[in-house]
Amino acid sequence: IFTPVLSFGKLSMELFGYLVSCKFTMLVFMKATGNITRGSADVINVHYAHIDGDVAATSSRVGIIYSSVGTGCLLGPFVANYFTNIDRVASLQGACIIAMGINAFGWI
């Protein structure tokens, strides 16, 4: 009856051991936290774009917000490709950290 619990515990310990020893642990956690925050951003974008009594202006503002995010998602990897090297994990981590900073600046 305890076999699944012991198996889960063993796998969890192997996972944490791997994350402590690998070079891209921060990328793993950055991806997870990015997914958590971007889920709420969809709701917040609609709230910020809302104009009382003007449905057309609200929909235009929502469209501008989503097209801006889409443009960044399209152009970001092309720009980052010039500055990163797949053999150097640190360059990928740096690009991700800069991208998160740009994303945070966009909310200001």
Side-chain angles (χ1 to χ4, degrees), residues 28 37 53 58-59 67 104:
V28 172
T37 58
T58 298
S59 62
S67 65

Side-chain angles (χ1 to χ4, degrees), residues 4-106:
V5 174
L6 293 175
S7 177
F8 179 75
K10 181 181 176 188
L11 290 175
S12 297
M13 292 305 293
E14 287 179 15
L15 171 67
F16 290 126
Y18 174 73
L19 289 175
V20 167
S21 67
C22 76
K23 295 180 181 178
F24 54 90
T25 301
M26 292 307 294
L27 289 178
V28 172
F29 289 116
M30 191 180 297
K31 178 69 174 170
T33 57
N35 288 334
I36 291 169
T37 58
R38 289 304 301 168
S40 65
D42 289 339
V43 176
I44 293 171
N45 285 341
V46 175
H47 176 72
Y48 285 150
H50 180 71
I51 298 174
D52 287 331
D54 195 353
V55 177
T58 298
S59 62
S60 293
R61 289 175 86 180
V62 170
I64 290 169
I65 290 172
Y66 282 119
S67 65
S68 298
V69 171
T71 302
C73 290
L74 177 68
L75 295 178
F78 289 116
V79 172
N81 193 33
Y82 288 111
F83 301 107
T84 59
N85 183 357
I86 195 69
D87 296 328
R88 289 185 47 236
V89 176
S91 67
L92 295 173
Q93 288 176 337
C96 290
I97 291 168
I98 291 170
M100 293 294 275
I102 291 170
N103 190 14
F105 181 73

